[in-house]
Amino acid sequence: MAEDKLRILVAKPGLDGHDRGAKVVARALRDAGFEVIYTGLHQTPEMIVSAAVDEDVDAVSLSVLSGAHMFLFPEVIKQLAEKGASDIKVFGGGIIPEEDLPKLYESGVAKIFTPGATLSEITTWVRDNIKSTKGK
Amino acid sequence: MSDLKEKYKKWEDTQLKKTLEKKPERKQKFSTLSDHVIERLYTELNLKDFDYARDLGDPGEYPFTRGVHETMYRGKLWTMRLFAGFGTAKDSNKRFHYLLEQGQTGLSVAFHMPTIMGYDSDHPRSKGEVGKTGVSIDTLEDMETLFKGIPLGEVTTSMTINAPATILFAMYLAVAEKQGVDWKKIRGTTQNDILKEYIAQKSWIYPPKPSMRLITDMMAYASEHVPGWNTISISGYHIREAGSTAVQELAFTLADGIAYVEAGIKTGLDVDTFAPRLSFFFNSHNDFFEEIAKMRAARRIWAKVMKERFKAKNPKSWMLRFHTQTAGCSLTAQQPYNNVIRTTVQALAAVMGGTQSLHTNSLDETLSLPTEETATIALRTQQIIAEESGVAATIDPLAGSYFIETLTNEIENEAMDYIQRIDDMGGMVDAIENGFPQREVGNSSYRYQQQVEKKEKIIVGINKYIVENEKPIPTLYVDEKVEQEQIENVKRIKSQRDQAKVKMYLEELKSAAKGSDNVMPHILNCVRAYGSLGEICDVFRDVFGEYHDPKWL
């Protein structure tokens, strides 16, 4: 049933315009049966968090290729918490060097996919790890 | 010809058939990276209508298929131009000096995202982004630091800047003034190709129509005051990186070019005053022959378009001169040293395709901006091709190949079909507003990714020949301190300048933007008085509004 579908917000935070990855992942998630909402480009953390809450999503997926991931990922997580929406999981990917991963996971990011990740890896991970935030 | 056909048929029916029965070919279908079908064999039969003078011409001669210059690399090697920039202007100035010492022959500036998007480093939207993807430039002072010790009359500089191109160009001219260099001696390029931003790179600020006006203002100003400047580098590179096919890259780039020429003519400029200063920028991806054919087809199509459609008379208006960058999107984070080999093949294709300048990517660019070591290997790749491989000794060495000429013809025809469709939509600006090229690129990129998943397209280290538990390689890290340093820097400059003067020039710029005066002289006044990039962009945001992308997938 449609209302049982997990809802994922795919977002492009910051000034980075590289949306190839975000769009390909969004289409793959949609084809895998999830409900996908795409924010469009150049979103601030405030805009993303407010879309996540308004759209009542189960997870937020961020794509960052501009090197600003160390600010943007933790900021989205912090602002979700401030809105009492910590049950919305945050995952994502982009040009993110290996040495930044521990800090990102520490800040509460559920999963980072680095270059070379396959679409099936991503959709499988979402299926296994994202649970509905409804009815809590 | 009919003898040949018979002979070929006989070979197919006997010898070939026998072999195929014994041992079938590796695949049912062979195709290029872009899915263009490739035949087993190309022969004279594929080139029945081939006419050397009409289809190729000699080098430096219409339609320039063999190259835009009579002697090509025998006269002068392509310009080796590595795209560089990170951190503060001081950090990047040091890298520029290093690259020039290593034998690089031109400069290419990478700006950080806030500069590209028209924000100063102290703007809230710049948080976390300062100096990360390129150099941070807020005011003329940063630009002075960036080119410190580099005589602008002697180097050529390319700047990858689009929505705020007029401002960075003005800053460059102001630095030249300070160095005492005559603007007539300045050579270089501003990317300034806003149409491909809407299609692919997505670094826009204002809507398409006012953005086109900024471009025509700059074309008019440069043709009069800075005649050696390439005002636009009409770019397919980003279209390809966003996932297009080779044909889409070519077609959309040339259709963008047609839109700029039409815009220039519409403002009353004579085509031959600005067309010679239009330059192009292509991607060189993995499929060797497809890339070479694309570049040869590009020159031939543009020559015909300029001569036949726009009736340009100056042969320089017919010539498509271009820069090439090897394909960033082809690089892998896995087994990153393999990227050196990919880049070598791609660079070789660009040289076979007759490029005027070349950037070779560094092996670590899927992870971060390049280190000094990896940038050096990238430069050495070009130097080895130029000095050791022997390929620069003769002009267009693949001409006359049954395969290359057939592929060049096919790519030309397919690109012309796209250009016709875009013309039917009312031109590229309308096509973009309808989302046509964006959708075509999005579909190609999704299809390609699915082909990779199904192993129909092989990427070494990704879906074949995988190695587990690789050791990480050292990468460049831009310290968070850069942001604080640059914020203090821009705040200091803003507090020290003549505020009344800046305010007055910004007001004058606003009136020009609202009216029809050329904005360039007003931008120059602003930057000379240390008005910042963000302040100038705010004036335009105010007058022109901002563009937001449609949220389709």
Side-chain angles (χ1 to χ4, degrees), chain A residues 14-15 17 19-20 23-24 27-28 31 38-44 66-68 71 95 99 115 118-120, chain B residues 113 117 125 127-129 132-133 202 204 241-243 334 366-367 442-443 445-446 449 453 475 549 551-552:
Chain A
L15 303 177
D19 60 358
R20 176 178 181 172
K23 285 189 165 184
V24 165
R27 283 172 83 149
D31 288 355
Y38 174 56
T39 60
L41 284 161
H42 310 140
Q43 304 286 302
T44 62
S66 69
F71 167 68
I95 301 288
E99 62 260 36
T118 63
L119 295 178
S120 57
Chain B
M113 285 311 303
M117 295 299 291
R125 292 232 48 173
K127 197 161 168 37
E129 316 243 16
K132 290 288 187 188
T133 57
K202 321 278 172 89
W204 50 66
E241 289 289 299
Q334 291 69 19
T366 61
L367 304 166
N443 290 339
S445 85
Y446 193 47
Q449 192 60 39
E453 306 258 323
T475 53
D549 58 327
K551 297 181 188 352
W552 63 56

Side-chain angles (χ1 to χ4, degrees), chain B residues 86-352:
Chain B
F86 62 93
T88 62
K90 211 170 139 197
D91 298 328
S92 299
N93 175 260
K94 207 172 134 218
R95 178 66 67 87
F96 285 176
H97 278 284
Y98 172 79
L99 288 168
L100 290 169
E101 280 158 21
Q102 296 306 310
Q104 170 165 286
T105 47
L107 292 174
S108 173
V109 188
F111 297 101
H112 73 163
M113 285 311 303
T115 298
I116 288 171
M117 295 299 291
Y119 296 110
D120 290 338
S121 296
D122 59 347
H123 192 281
R125 292 232 48 173
S126 304
K127 197 161 168 37
E129 316 243 16
V130 176
K132 290 288 187 188
T133 57
V135 59
S136 50
I137 300 291
D138 296 315
T139 68
L140 178 59
E141 189 184 279
D142 297 323
M143 205 69 162
E144 290 165 32
T145 308
L146 184 63
F147 292 102
K148 200 170 170 199
I150 299 169
L152 298 193
E154 291 165 34
V155 289
T156 63
T157 303
S158 166
M159 293 191 272
T160 297
I161 194 74
N162 294 279
T166 46
I167 304 165
L168 275 305
F169 180 48
M171 286 184 183
Y172 193 81
L173 294 178
V175 174
E177 274 173 357
K178 295 209 161 197
Q179 288 190 358
V181 177
D182 183 353
W183 286 359
K184 301 260 181 317
K185 288 209 180 98
I186 287 178
R187 302 269 179 282
T189 309
T190 32
Q191 195 165 80
N192 203 21
D193 170 12
I194 200 69
L195 292 177
K196 68 91 177 52
E197 294 297 332
Y198 304 108
I199 301 172
Q201 176 83 345
K202 321 278 172 89
S203 299
W204 50 66
I205 305 177
Y206 328 111
K209 289 192 173 111
S211 297
M212 291 296 279
R213 182 258 174 115
L214 290 176
I215 290 170
T216 49
D217 275 6
M218 190 163 144
M219 289 197 309
Y221 188 84
S223 67
E224 194 182 334
H225 301 282
V226 202
W229 195 263
N230 298 313
T231 47
I232 317 184
S233 168
I234 306 160
S235 306
Y237 181 79
H238 319 82
I239 297 173
R240 193 67 179 282
E241 289 289 299
S244 82
T245 64
V247 166
Q248 287 168 343
E249 176 196 354
L250 178 60
F252 297 161
T253 306
L254 298 183
D256 285 346
I258 289 168
Y260 294 125
V261 173
E262 282 175 341
I265 291 171
K266 219 167 141 189
T267 57
L269 295 169
D270 172 2
V271 65
D272 285 317
T273 61
F274 67 89
R277 296 323 310 175
L278 300 176
S279 63
F280 289 80
F281 173 20
F282 291 111
N283 196 303
S284 189
H285 212 304
N286 281 334
D287 199 297
F288 188 67
F289 294 115
E290 184 172 51
E291 294 307 300
I292 297 166
K294 176 188 79 185
M295 294 168 196
R296 297 175 84 248
R299 279 192 293 271
R300 188 158 74 205
I301 299 174
W302 191 247
K304 289 185 196 167
V305 164
M306 292 310 293
K307 192 177 179 196
E308 292 167 15
R309 178 167 173 171
F310 292 114
K311 314 286 180 223
K313 296 199 175 57
N314 184 351
K316 287 203 158 59
S317 301
W318 307 335
M319 283 180 197
L320 179 143
R321 296 167 299 122
F322 69 103
H323 172 71
T324 306
Q325 178 167 340
T326 56
C329 64
S330 73
L331 305 184
T332 63
Q334 291 69 19
Q335 306 175 46
Y337 293 104
N338 294 345
N339 294 332
V340 177
I341 294 99
R342 291 189 179 97
T343 299
T344 305
V345 174
Q346 296 163 6
L348 193 58
V351 170
M352 298 276 115

Side-chain angles (χ1 to χ4, degrees), chain B residues 267 270 304 342 363 389 462 484 488 518 526-528:
Chain B
T267 57
D270 172 2
K304 289 185 196 167
R342 291 189 179 97
L363 67 97
S389 75
I462 298 286
Q484 213 35 56
E488 282 161 22
N518 193 315
C526 294
V527 305
R528 284 185 190 117

Side-chain angles (χ1 to χ4, degrees), chain B residues 358-377:
Chain B
L358 180 61
H359 165 97
T360 30
N361 289 319
S362 300
L363 67 97
D364 49 356
E365 292 195 52
T366 61
L367 304 166
S368 66
L369 296 188
T371 63
E372 197 167 278
E373 288 72 26
T374 60
T376 308
I377 295 172

